Amino acid sequence: SSRQAQGGGAMHMLATLLAASAALVPSARSLPPLRTSAPATVSNRASVHTLRGGAAAGEASASVLASALGWGLTAGAMAIYTPMIATTLAKKNADGMSVSTWSLNLSGFLIFVVYHIRNGYSLSTFLDFAALGLQSAVLLALTARYQRALPPIALLPAASLAAASLLPTAFLGPLQGVAAFITSVALVPQVWRNFAARSRGGWSPISAALSTGGNAARIFTTLTLAEGNPILLAQFAACLLLNGVLLVQALVWD
């Protein structure tokens, strides 16, 4: 059937993405969570705090601004998909939404959260990931329910959670890199589906605008606080591009 074909296509696309990421993802030692390119004397915990918005004494005004912006983005992540959840519940309809996008999103955020928990990082370093993961889980459930379909890729979050929870710690670094790659390209199925249907696919222009602005701001905070970490810059640049496309689609198409 067409649904099975879509599910198979999504799984094939995911396998391709994961295979491509293997060549791009650094080793466990080279990619701790949200690592800055600071000297080795800076602890991982301090690096994460810095990227999230923690400011050291004596920072220049640009760094102070980036710090405040980082915490603001973390707060904004708490409700970025709320408009879409509210609209989907009100209409009881999820036509146009991509199960693949929400499955990939949720998978990446689950890995991020478990990674931080297993490494003993404070809640403030991954609260935004947890909030985004929860919202993605709600939208995945709503999309599957109203479309009355559960393609194989919808099981990916469970597999990701199991892998992040059970794998030895030595494998968590590369898994974190794979999660960053997955969340960077998670919007591709939704963007493609919208182009095919010439529709915004239920995507909220408010959510798209917030995500676009948020990723642009993250590029600034990465350049200012994380010394232009290339992995983070690539991740946020990809998200900026895809969210920008979704924003245009949401504004142009019904």
Side-chain angles (χ1 to χ4, degrees):
S1 67
S2 60
R3 293 187 183 276
Q4 291 175 329
Q6 291 174 357
M11 290 299 292
H12 176 72
M13 179 193 69
L14 176 61
T16 303
L17 291 176
L18 291 175
S21 70
L24 300 175
V25 175
S27 66
R29 294 188 177 183
S30 63
L31 187 63
L34 302 176
R35 175 185 286 272
T36 70
S37 52
T41 54
V42 179
S43 68
N44 290 346
R45 195 181 302 271
S47 299
V48 173
H49 177 67
T50 298
L51 187 58
R52 279 285 182 266
E59 284 184 318
S61 58
S63 295
V64 174
L65 173 61
S67 298
L69 188 57
W71 285 117
L73 292 171
T74 298
M78 304 297 174
I80 198 167
Y81 294 136
T82 299
M84 298 171 65
I85 294 174
T87 300
T88 303
L89 285 172
K91 293 183 176 181
K92 299 186 183 302
N93 188 311
D95 289 348
M97 283 196 179
S98 170
V99 171
S100 297
T101 285
W102 296 120
S103 297
L104 291 169
N105 253 345
L106 179 55
S107 298
F109 292 135
L110 283 172
I111 293 173
F112 284 140
V113 169
V114 174
Y115 182 98
H116 284 68
I117 291 174
R118 290 188 63 181
N119 281 282
Y121 297 118
S122 65
L123 181 63
S124 64
T125 65
F126 64 90
L127 186 58
D128 54 343
F129 290 146
L132 290 168
L134 177 60
Q135 294 168 76
S136 296
V138 171
L139 283 165
L140 174 59
L142 291 175
T143 302
R145 175 186 177 186
Y146 291 133
Q147 292 184 0
R148 298 182 180 180
L150 192 68
I153 197 172
L155 302 178
L156 181 63
S160 299
L161 177 60
S165 301
L166 301 176
L167 281 176
T169 54
F171 292 94
L172 291 181
L175 189 62
Q176 168 88 338
V178 172
F181 184 84
I182 289 175
T183 54
S184 297
V185 300
L187 296 179
V188 170
Q190 185 67 60
V191 169
W192 181 261
R193 183 165 185 158
N194 289 357
F195 272 122
R198 299 188 66 80
S199 166
R200 70 184 188 185
W203 211 266
S204 165
I206 297 176
S207 296
L210 290 174
S211 297
T212 302
N215 281 288
R218 279 299 185 195
I219 291 176
F220 171 69
T221 60
T222 300
L223 289 170
T224 306
L225 298 176
E227 300 181 9
N229 184 292
I231 296 175
L232 293 173
L233 285 176
Q235 179 183 355
F236 295 137
C239 291
L240 172 63
L241 174 63
L242 292 171
N243 278 287
V245 173
L246 282 173
L247 176 58
V248 173
Q249 292 177 333
L251 292 173
V252 173
W253 293 323
D254 294 332

